[in-house]
Amino acid sequence: LKLAGALGLFWRMRSHLWSEGYRWLEIALQNSDGAPKSVRAKALLSAGVLQFLQWRFDQAVTYFRESKDLYQELGDLNGVAEGTHWLGRYAFRKKEYSEATKLLEASLEMYREANDQHGELKTVRSLGDCARLLEDYERSKRLYEQGLLLSQDSDNRLGAAGILNSL
């Protein structure tokens, strides 16, 4: 389970492996009796992300909720922020932009408290997308510009490209 959870980012970055990665995570999760909560939370989050990336949103949200709950039990602020971020992305995909904004703002606050600049960047961009779809163009522009500054500060060229595409 620990290995499968750790491979989540590897599978996420290689889109041709999303299905394979999810299958391995599903098997590992089914056989995870007695696994530490932190290991299970990470694997659940990875499974949710891989399902989300395959547009299986209703399956993904179940993993996100369970992962977030475990991270809350553990007091893992960054894990709770990540679970909340993905729940916000889920609401966004369901076109529930006000709910998505609420979840993403909560996630952003946690990422900032945890000093997680990558989490902050992706959440600012997601909030910019919500604001744009809610036709709050000024807020959207401010958020995208904030994201551009964050990506430049961390020399994140991929993040900067995504933000520039949104602007």
Side-chain angles (χ1 to χ4, degrees), residues 1-12:
L1 183 65
K2 189 173 186 175
L3 178 60
L7 285 170
L9 181 59
F10 170 80
W11 287 320
R12 186 181 344 174

Side-chain angles (χ1 to χ4, degrees), residues 123-166:
T123 305
V124 164
R125 181 175 180 199
S126 294
L127 281 165
D129 293 341
C130 284
R132 181 175 40 85
L133 290 168
L134 288 168
E135 299 181 5
D136 187 348
Y137 302 118
E138 286 301 314
R139 182 168 192 252
S140 178
K141 182 181 177 205
R142 280 193 316 273
L143 287 161
Y144 290 145
E145 288 172 345
Q146 182 182 359
L148 187 57
L149 289 174
L150 285 167
S151 62
Q152 290 170 341
D153 286 348
S154 61
D155 198 30
N156 182 336
R157 292 185 180 137
L158 183 59
I163 295 285
L164 287 170
N165 185 53
S166 297

Side-chain angles (χ1 to χ4, degrees), residues 12-124:
R12 186 181 344 174
M13 300 305 289
R14 285 148 186 86
S15 59
H16 64 284
L17 296 176
W18 291 343
S19 293
E20 179 183 339
Y22 174 72
R23 282 193 305 272
W24 282 111
L25 280 161
E26 186 177 41
I27 291 167
L29 285 164
Q30 288 172 354
N31 297 299
S32 65
D33 292 342
K37 287 181 181 181
S38 60
V39 172
R40 185 165 173 75
K42 185 174 185 175
L44 287 163
L45 187 65
S46 292
V49 171
L50 292 174
Q51 288 292 81
F52 187 91
L53 294 172
Q54 295 177 79
W55 294 71
R56 297 179 184 144
F57 304 122
D58 291 333
Q59 294 93 330
V61 73
T62 302
Y63 289 112
F64 296 149
R65 287 180 180 141
E66 190 175 347
S67 174
K68 181 182 164 226
D69 290 346
L70 285 173
Y71 279 128
Q72 281 179 318
E73 284 180 38
L74 294 164
D76 183 329
L77 183 63
N78 201 56
V80 176
E82 192 73 8
T84 305
H85 171 86
W86 283 101
L87 288 169
R89 296 275 308 269
Y90 170 77
F92 180 89
R93 285 292 175 194
K94 299 296 259 183
K95 298 182 180 184
E96 298 168 358
Y97 304 123
S98 295
E99 178 66 14
T101 298
K102 184 176 89 174
L103 289 162
L104 290 166
E105 285 175 345
S107 176
L108 180 61
E109 188 176 313
M110 288 182 269
Y111 280 132
R112 285 179 174 158
E113 189 176 332
N115 201 27
D116 180 341
Q117 197 169 29
H118 174 73
E120 184 178 353
L121 170 60
K122 70 182 178 182
T123 305
V124 164

